[in-house]
């Protein structure tokens, strides 16, 4: 059994008097114990909403979540709020993008780490703080004894993200969801945090869902990568396969449009034309069709199905990029 | 492209220090943020100079100092043979038409209540170039065409455009005055990856068509390497390395550049799996109280017990055209000095304002 099995997850936002907006459209993927899975896509592709839906963190009103999120067999979407609260932080940890706004500015860091231990493991404050000290040490925060008493504004961005990781890992969850954990950080600090995450995942055997827009981050970290576009998974493949032979024109276009540090200079970037504003709804065809160089008639006759590929991945495309013509 | 022998822009030992004020009734200066502390560089006409560095290294302040959007505290800013710092009033205004800026966030740098036409005409009016209505209209449409926007965009407002299109408006606004130099501060970092490539290609096309000179400021090394001819790397207010884009990538010589390069993720698992990362310990020290000697010595894996901590290295030419500010650049390149462990020093963001906020402080007169 998979650790996490997301099946046909849809999130529809609806406000009175407005057309409903489908942010996540029948997304399915699974995470095996200890596996690192990437959700990649640009802003508006539904990657963050997917993670919030899994964690049950979407607001109660104004949206409709359907489908199944099975964590070790139990459907998280059907749990009572109290039961979900027990699992959050204990079974599933989460790290957000901006560490300053996800830490409470008026509570010392030590207490914020200890809180999780008190809530889920029934420790008393003194014992929890001792444990918190060790956690801060484990995530590489220098002088953890003193950091315990300090407030988030007193430490740097990279240290805050480390503190957040300490909180997320405090109860040794079996799944960790990281939503753009390094986007707010400088590259050298990003490298520190990614190395730390990789090391902790290896040591503790925690499964990780990595949500990011940065293909470079995915390339170094994820076992399996799901590429999202317009709320749907358009391509899923093992890491090496995806980068060596991207089949979906969107994935292919993305990889070709990023300037690479190690590429030959002076080559023109192959931009994907248009923008997400040009998307058509999936009911009318492939959302990517208006921007796609490989578009065929069938692309404008309803959404293409997500079909397994010969290499063990999945692909949603009528006219995929031929295997020969790929990124050099 | 016009070939000139003398550089279009020359910065000599430019410093921008922001005072930190304190006190209830009387403002006392309690210290300085040394945002830019002695930078010399030159940009040839028709060339692209890329300035990279992490947040708080002073790269944006340097770009603004060049246009005198913040007043440099010291040093010379020479544009086309004249020292911009000595200009006043009308002559400053005339020079400013020739140097324009593109900002990072197109949404906050475009007035939401001005139509595109009004945004573009404003600059022309300020320089007395909008007298002939028909000619102005033609000029606006030509400019929009050059950045790939339809003429119908003129009557629209910024919120009606997507992020990539807004950045095109920002570029059009800079372009409409027909400048020679464009300073672009993080022109693509607010955009999605697929849109970034469009804007980068546009910037390159415009340069080829009009012979523009660019100073591109960015934190993304891959972007800078792609677009720039010469790259300068900044760390804590100073230039630590400068070389042609290819040289810098082929052989980064400053330890900081090496660490920076090795930290940039490459979208290729084969490369990622094999790479050796140079992980820097700790955070960027505060620019209010930069370390003595070499500013990087507190985090440098190659730091030596002598000279590094007490003598600030000058930017010197090590190989042809490759300038490095490191005492031991040759020894490190030859492998005679091995990297060692560095104990991270704790850096407090409240040591005098976070580095990102420096732009809001008042510059020294």
């Amino acid at each position: 059994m998979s650790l996490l099995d997301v099946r046909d997850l849809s999130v529809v936002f609806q406000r009175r008097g407005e057309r409903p907006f489908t942010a996540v459209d029948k997304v399915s993927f699974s995470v095996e114990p200890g596996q690192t899975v990437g959700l990649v896509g640009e802003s508006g592709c539904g990657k963050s909403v997917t993670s919030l839906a899994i964690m049950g963190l979407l607001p109660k009103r104004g949206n409709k979540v359907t489908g199944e999120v099975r964590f070790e067999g139990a459907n998280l979407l059907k749990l009572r709020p109290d039961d979900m609260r027990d699992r959050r932080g204990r079974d599933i940890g989460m790290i957000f993008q901006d560490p300053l706004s996800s830490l409470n500015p008026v509570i010392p860091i030590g207490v914020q780490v200890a809180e999780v231990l008190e809530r889920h493991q029934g420790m008393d404050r003194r014992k929890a703080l001792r444990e918190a000290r060790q956690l801060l040490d484990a995530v590489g925060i220098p002088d953890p004894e003193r950091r315990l008493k300090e407030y988030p504004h007193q430490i740097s961005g990279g240290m805050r993200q480390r503190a957040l990781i300490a909180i997320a890992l405090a109860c040794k969850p079996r799944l960790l969801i990281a939503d753009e954990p390094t986007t707010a950080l400088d590259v050298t600090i990003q490298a520190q945090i990614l190395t730390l995450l990789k090391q902790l995942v290896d040591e503790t055997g925690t499964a990780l869902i990595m949500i990011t827009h940065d293909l470079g981050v995915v390339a170094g970290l994820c076992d399996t990568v799901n590429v999202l576009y317009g709320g749907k998974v358009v391509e899923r493949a093992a890491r090496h396969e995806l980068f060596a032979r991207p089949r979906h024109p969107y994935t292919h276009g993305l990889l070709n449009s990023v300037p690479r540090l190690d590429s030959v200079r002076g080559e023109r970037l192959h931009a994907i034309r248009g923008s997400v504003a040009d998307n058509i709804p999936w009911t009318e065809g492939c959302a990517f069709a208006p921007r796609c160089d490989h578009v065929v008639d069938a692309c404008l006759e309803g959404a293409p199905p997500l079909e397994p590929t010969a290499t063990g991945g999945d692909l949603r495309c009528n006219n995929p990029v031929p295997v020969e013509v790929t990124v050099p | 492209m016009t070939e000139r022998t003398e550089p279009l822009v020359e910065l000599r030992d430019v410093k921008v220090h922001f005072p930190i004020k304190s006190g209830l009734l009387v403002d006392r200066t309690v210290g300085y943020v040394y945002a830019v502390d002695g930078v010399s560089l030159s940009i040839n006409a028709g060339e692209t100079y890329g300035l990279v560095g992490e947040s708080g290294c002073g790269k944006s302040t340097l770009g603004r100092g060049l246009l005198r959007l913040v007043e440099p505290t010291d040093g010379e800013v020479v544009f086309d043979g004249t020292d911009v710092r000595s200009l006043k009033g009308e002559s400053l205004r005339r020079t400013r038409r020739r140097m324009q800026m593109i900002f990072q966030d197109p949404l906050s740098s475009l007035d939401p209540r001005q139509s595109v036409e009004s945004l573009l005409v404003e600059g022309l009016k300020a320089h007395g170039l909008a007298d002939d209505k028909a000619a102005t209209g033609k000029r606006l449409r030509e400019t929009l065409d050059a950045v790939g926007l339809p003429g119908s965009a003129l009557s629209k407002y910024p919120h009606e455009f997507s992020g990539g299109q807004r950045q095109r408006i920002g570029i059009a606004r800079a372009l409409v005055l027909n400048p020679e130099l464009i300073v672009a501060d993080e022109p693509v970092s607010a955009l999605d990856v697929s849109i970034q490539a469009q804007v980068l290609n546009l910037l390159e096309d415009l340069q080829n068509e009009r012979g523009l000179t660019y100073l591109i400021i960015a934190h993304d090394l891959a972007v800078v390497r792609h677009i720039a001819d010469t790259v300068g790397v900044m760390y804590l207010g100073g230039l630590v390395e400068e070389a042609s884009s290819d040289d810098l990538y082929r052989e980064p010589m400053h330890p900081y550049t090496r660490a920076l390069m090795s930290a940039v993720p490459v979208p290729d698992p084969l490369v990622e799996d094999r790479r050796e990362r140079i992980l820097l310990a700790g955070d960027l020290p505060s620019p209010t109280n930069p370390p003595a000697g070499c500013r990087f010595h507190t985090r440098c894996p190659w730091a030596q017990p002598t000279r590094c901590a007490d003598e600030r290295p000058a930017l010197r030419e090590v190989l042809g055209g490759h300038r490095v500010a490191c005492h031991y650049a040759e020894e490190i390149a030859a492998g005679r000095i091995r990297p060692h462990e560095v104990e991270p020093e704790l850096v407090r963001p409240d040591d005098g304002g976070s580095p990102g906020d420096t732009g809001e402080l008042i510059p020294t007169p």
Side-chain angles (χ1 to χ4, degrees):
Chain A
M1 188 175 53
S2 303
L3 179 71
L4 181 80
D5 199 4
V6 177
R7 244 176 280 160
D8 289 335
L9 179 71
S10 295
V11 181
V12 181
F13 289 106
Q14 181 147 36
R15 271 159 72 184
R16 220 168 10 162
E18 275 179 34
R19 255 193 307 159
F21 175 75
T22 310
V24 179
D25 197 354
K26 297 210 164 148
V27 166
S28 303
F29 65 94
S30 59
V31 183
E32 306 301 322
Q35 202 187 19
T36 301
V37 172
L39 294 185
V40 196
E42 297 177 283
S43 33
C45 74
K47 53 190 192 301
S48 289
V49 176
T50 304
S51 70
L52 293 176
I54 294 172
M55 289 294 268
L57 289 174
L58 286 169
K60 282 195 202 70
R61 288 151 168 250
N63 65 66
K64 215 173 121 204
V65 184
T66 50
E68 277 181 15
V69 177
R70 294 209 169 269
F71 182 78
E72 294 175 336
N75 187 357
L76 298 184
L77 298 182
K78 294 273 183 291
L79 285 185
R80 286 187 302 128
D82 280 357
D83 296 337
M84 189 63 209
R85 204 171 300 145
D86 281 342
R87 288 182 173 262
R88 236 183 261 135
R90 188 189 68 196
D91 298 342
I92 312 178
M94 186 148 181
I95 307 167
F96 296 92
Q97 172 173 355
D98 181 5
L100 192 54
S101 59
S102 28
L103 288 169
N104 189 332
V106 295
I107 297 178
I109 288 155
V111 178
Q112 297 194 48
V113 182
E115 223 171 25
V116 195
L117 296 163
E118 289 169 43
R119 169 71 174 76
H120 290 299
Q121 308 200 332
M123 289 185 192
D124 58 38
R125 177 57 60 90
R126 182 187 292 268
K127 189 159 178 251
L129 276 174
R130 240 195 339 263
E131 180 78 26
R133 198 200 147 278
Q134 277 170 9
L135 280 163
L136 292 185
D137 197 35
V139 296
I141 295 182
D143 200 359
E145 190 72 50
R146 273 173 56 203
R147 296 294 88 70
L148 287 176
K149 299 186 198 79
E150 286 181 348
Y151 293 88
H153 75 271
Q154 292 175 297
I155 59 173
S156 68
M159 288 301 153
R160 278 178 213 138
Q161 198 57 282
R162 283 171 194 266
L164 216 58
I165 294 175
I167 295 174
L169 291 178
C171 296
K172 307 195 174 50
R174 292 183 296 290
L175 176 66
L176 182 65
I177 301 178
D179 187 358
E180 303 265 11
T182 57
T183 309
L185 307 173
D186 276 318
V187 265
T188 54
I189 309 296
Q190 164 171 293
Q192 292 175 0
I193 299 293
L194 288 178
T195 310
L196 173 72
L197 267 179
K198 210 189 281 184
Q199 176 205 330
L200 291 173
V201 165
D202 285 349
E203 278 170 15
T204 58
T206 305
L208 175 68
I209 299 180
M210 184 77 181
I211 296 168
T212 178
H213 70 279
D214 191 334
L215 291 161
V217 168
V218 173
L221 198 65
C222 299
D223 302 317
T224 308
V225 186
N226 296 280
V227 181
L228 271 74
Y229 190 82
K232 273 189 186 297
V233 175
V234 293
E235 183 165 13
R236 169 182 12 253
R239 175 171 73 120
H240 285 279
E241 191 59 33
L242 185 87
F243 285 90
R245 282 171 288 278
R247 301 298 310 282
H248 198 282
Y250 174 64
T251 321
H252 185 252
L254 265 190
L255 283 170
N256 268 328
S257 64
V258 215
R260 276 175 58 159
L261 198 57
D262 59 344
S263 62
V264 188
R265 221 176 73 83
E267 260 179 39
R268 214 178 147 73
L269 298 173
H270 300 273
I272 301 177
R273 66 190 139 93
S275 69
V276 267
D278 302 321
N279 285 2
I280 55 171
W282 282 105
T283 44
E284 287 170 25
C286 174
F288 187 60
R291 303 176 70 191
C292 182
D293 289 332
H294 290 249
V295 66
V296 290
D297 290 346
C299 298
L300 297 170
E301 294 159 8
L306 189 67
E307 285 169 333
T309 59
T311 49
D314 294 288
L315 184 65
R316 188 189 296 281
C317 186
N318 293 313
N319 186 22
V321 181
V323 176
E324 302 83 52
V325 195
T326 47
V327 189
Chain B
M1 228 184 268
T2 45
E3 287 296 332
R4 260 189 269 186
T5 41
E6 79 180 50
L8 180 69
V9 179
E10 219 177 337
L11 304 181
R12 291 191 203 114
D13 203 22
V14 171
K15 290 179 182 161
V16 185
H17 297 171
F18 298 104
I20 304 163
K21 303 278 191 186
S22 172
L24 279 177
L25 291 171
V26 189
D27 273 354
R28 280 179 310 125
T29 301
V30 291
Y32 289 95
V33 175
Y34 300 94
V36 177
D37 205 17
V39 169
S40 307
L41 58 87
S42 60
I43 310 172
N44 291 328
E47 228 189 47
T48 303
Y49 192 100
L51 209 51
V52 275
E54 297 179 281
S55 43
C57 72
K59 56 189 191 303
S60 292
T61 308
L62 184 67
R64 283 161 189 258
L66 167 57
L67 301 185
R68 276 184 70 187
L69 294 176
V70 295
E71 285 301 332
T73 321
D74 197 13
E76 273 177 73
V77 180
V78 182
F79 176 77
D80 199 15
T82 46
D83 186 358
V84 181
R85 285 191 66 210
S86 66
L87 296 177
K88 278 198 195 88
E90 195 49 36
S91 53
L92 174 63
R93 178 200 285 271
R94 275 202 304 276
T95 310
R96 274 205 173 133
R97 184 195 62 74
R98 301 168 59 195
M99 32 210 251
Q100 289 293 312
M101 182 136 185
I102 300 169
F103 297 92
Q104 169 173 2
D105 181 0
L107 192 56
S108 63
S109 60
L110 300 172
D111 182 346
R113 300 199 296 176
Q114 276 183 289
S115 67
V116 172
E117 178 169 14
S118 145
L119 283 165
L120 296 185
V121 162
E122 203 171 29
L124 290 173
K125 275 195 185 143
H127 292 285
L129 298 167
D131 299 335
D132 183 348
K133 251 204 166 131
T136 308
K138 189 162 164 273
R139 189 166 182 170
L140 294 188
R141 269 188 294 278
E142 276 171 7
T143 311
L144 283 181
D145 190 48
V147 299
L149 287 174
S152 61
L154 280 178
S155 55
K156 291 189 182 170
Y157 289 83
H159 74 266
E160 296 176 72
F161 296 91
S162 68
Q165 287 172 321
R166 270 182 220 134
Q167 195 54 294
R168 285 173 196 265
I169 298 170
I171 295 173
R173 180 171 62 177
L175 219 56
V176 74
L177 290 167
N178 219 352
E180 289 153 56
L181 171 75
I182 288 187
V183 176
D185 190 356
E186 301 274 9
V188 297
S189 61
L191 307 175
D192 266 325
V193 238
S194 69
I195 311 296
Q196 281 192 2
Q198 295 175 2
V199 172
L200 289 176
N201 283 342
L202 172 66
L203 287 173
E204 281 186 338
D205 291 344
L206 291 171
Q207 181 168 47
N208 291 338
E209 283 161 24
R210 302 177 176 225
L212 292 166
T213 307
Y214 287 142
L215 173 64
I216 307 269
I217 299 162
H219 70 280
D220 187 333
L221 215 60
V223 164
V224 169
R225 174 181 141 78
H226 177 80
I227 198 165
D229 302 304
T230 310
V231 178
V233 182
M234 279 185 82
Y235 184 78
L236 268 188
L239 214 51
V240 295
E241 184 160 5
E242 184 192 82
S244 79
S245 191
D246 286 324
D247 282 350
L248 188 81
Y249 176 72
R250 203 177 321 117
E251 203 189 1
M253 297 189 80
H254 196 280
Y256 176 64
T257 318
R258 287 181 161 215
L260 200 61
M261 290 244 182
S262 80
V264 178
V266 173
D268 185 345
L270 298 173
V271 179
E272 283 293 312
D273 290 350
R274 275 196 319 244
R275 281 175 101 187
E276 242 180 275
R277 280 247 150 81
I278 304 167
L279 278 187
L280 291 182
D283 297 301
L284 194 76
S286 161
T288 31
N289 184 19
C294 174
R295 297 194 162 171
F296 187 56
H297 85 266
T298 52
R299 299 169 78 199
C300 180
W302 282 272
Q304 296 299 305
T306 51
R307 296 182 79 193
C308 288
D310 42 49
E311 190 185 333
R312 190 171 173 194
L315 197 65
R316 60 197 172 93
E317 191 156 328
V318 174
L319 284 168
H322 199 137
R323 299 199 292 158
V324 187
C326 175
H327 296 304
Y328 297 99
E330 290 90 347
E331 283 85 345
I332 293 170
R336 285 197 291 274
I337 299 179
R338 307 299 307 164
H340 49 75
E341 283 284 308
V342 182
E343 201 52 39
E345 274 186 30
L346 199 77
V347 179
R348 306 193 161 271
D350 55 339
D351 268 2
S354 77
D357 295 335
T358 48
E360 276 152 42
L361 298 168
I362 317 119
T364 35

